[in-house]
Amino acid sequence: MPHTARIKTRSAKKHRYVEGDDGWTHVTRGPNHRNHRRQSLPPDLVMPPPRGTEDDEDRIPRSTVRRGLTEEKVEHLIATTARKWTGSTSYADIRQVFERQLSKLANLEISSCVCLALGSFTADDFHGRPGASMHQLLAFEVMLQFLSPKHKIDGVYFQDPCFNDLDEQVLLSRGYSVLPRPAALRYITPSTLLYAPFATWSSLISALQVAAPAVVITNDIRQHLNDREQYPDGDYGYRQENGEAVLQNFIDSRTSFTLPRSASSSQIGLNDLTIYWKSDPTENESSN
């Protein structure tokens, strides 16, 4: 019989978030779960942006919460959307890559997950793509579930300057860390899964310059480089002198799969999203 997996949506935990003298935000159980705070970092973990980048993200304003939306309503919306999304082609494609490809790689080790540029999932028609960030969040949580049986993930980190208080509150209540820009770069290592759905090219290049993550889910880099070759005078939004070389060197050592385009509402925000992983020496050659 065909097997349909159910997304295990995380229920909101009633925690208290207390900022201690050491500069970290500590999570404790308590009756008042409204005391959420954005995770603060010790001074040595707050680093300046890499040289050669344009700080486009500094100009992105914090989003505005959709009128009448509460944490409880967001959690209900996530659960409802998750039940519908499990029947989508994007869910099936992601599951196939993780279960039939990544799970069989002997050299794959994931110990942390970093999400950049998710966008607000509580804002009203943010960037003209209602629902996109919600589906991207669901896709990320599914990836975490597929990894959990074989990998000990020590931390899951989110960073996006457009997050509003409710976005951060929901993410914190689901057990994740929310970091101020650009602290997330500190958590990117060769054993990281980097999830950056349609991040700016400048942000993506900055992340790849820190380390070459084990798995990256982001824009279709190959198509982007083809566009640059075809339209060399275009403004592609990054200023790193070696940015194109960083992208080319990355995809040259990776196998990839690009999610196909679909007009389905369950696919919103996931069209052309590409999964990259380091080729296993024993893996049969494959590419998108």
Side-chain angles (χ1 to χ4, degrees):
M1 294 178 62
H3 175 68
T4 301
R6 176 179 297 177
I7 299 178
K8 298 178 181 178
T9 56
R10 297 171 182 256
S11 58
K13 299 179 178 64
K14 295 187 178 181
H15 294 318
R16 179 176 295 163
Y17 295 78
V18 181
E19 188 170 321
D21 295 335
D22 56 0
W24 289 91
T25 297
H26 302 279
V27 183
T28 61
R29 293 187 181 275
N32 182 4
H33 69 289
R34 296 296 180 189
N35 294 332
H36 297 284
R37 293 190 185 184
R38 197 169 191 237
Q39 181 173 332
S40 59
L41 294 173
D44 62 326
L45 283 184
V46 178
M47 56 186 289
R51 292 183 179 180
T53 64
E54 183 174 82
D55 293 345
D56 294 329
E57 291 188 356
D58 286 340
R59 294 191 289 270
I60 298 178
R62 285 170 67 84
S63 59
T64 302
V65 178
R66 190 180 311 155
R67 181 176 298 180
L69 203 57
T70 64
E71 182 180 355
E72 291 75 16
K73 290 181 178 179
V74 174
E75 291 292 350
H76 176 74
L77 180 59
I78 290 174
T80 302
T81 306
R83 286 193 293 270
K84 296 178 180 178
W85 186 63
T86 54
S88 69
T89 57
S90 56
Y91 170 83
D93 288 334
I94 291 171
R95 179 179 177 182
Q96 178 174 327
V97 170
F98 275 74
E99 291 188 345
R100 298 186 183 181
Q101 300 280 347
L102 302 187
S103 66
K104 297 179 181 179
L105 296 179
N107 65 339
L108 181 64
E109 179 182 352
I110 304 292
S111 60
S112 65
C113 297
V114 174
C115 176
L116 303 178
L118 178 70
S120 173
F121 50 90
T122 66
D124 189 15
D125 296 338
F126 185 66
H127 283 180
R129 298 172 61 191
S133 295
M134 179 72 71
H135 285 91
Q136 290 166 358
L137 174 60
L138 289 174
F140 184 52
E141 291 193 327
V142 160
M143 295 172 193
L144 296 178
Q145 290 179 26
F146 291 154
L147 290 172
S148 61
K150 294 188 63 176
H151 302 272
K152 184 180 182 299
I153 299 175
D154 297 323
V156 180
Y157 308 96
F158 284 77
Q159 176 186 290
D160 195 318
C162 81
F163 282 155
N164 57 52
D165 289 343
L166 184 55
D167 292 319
E168 294 175 358
Q169 183 174 309
V170 171
L171 292 173
L172 288 169
S173 71
R174 296 171 81 79
Y176 307 132
S177 298
V178 180
L179 304 177
R181 182 182 181 273
L185 296 181
R186 288 282 190 180
Y187 294 87
I188 298 176
T189 72
S191 60
T192 294
L193 179 146
L194 174 63
Y195 185 65
F198 308 107
T200 63
W201 291 111
S202 179
S203 298
L204 179 59
I205 292 169
S206 295
L208 296 180
Q209 285 177 319
V210 173
V215 178
V216 176
I217 301 95
T218 189
N219 321 334
D220 187 341
I221 299 175
R222 193 176 304 278
Q223 181 61 54
H224 166 66
L225 293 176
N226 290 340
D227 290 342
R228 280 184 61 87
E229 183 176 354
Q230 187 172 359
Y231 307 103
D233 297 330
D235 183 2
Y236 295 95
Y238 61 82
R239 299 295 182 267
Q240 294 94 333
E241 293 182 2
N242 64 334
E244 187 171 348
V246 170
L247 296 175
Q248 186 65 60
N249 291 338
F250 175 75
I251 64 172
D252 284 346
S253 62
R254 293 295 189 273
T255 299
S256 65
F257 176 84
T258 300
L259 297 179
R261 293 189 176 188
S262 170
S264 170
S265 60
S266 62
Q267 183 82 359
I268 189 169
L270 301 173
N271 283 329
D272 292 335
L273 202 62
T274 303
I275 304 171
Y276 300 90
W277 64 93
K278 192 171 183 179
S279 304
D280 192 309
T282 62
E283 181 184 13
N284 291 329
E285 182 178 357
S286 62
S287 62
N288 56 322

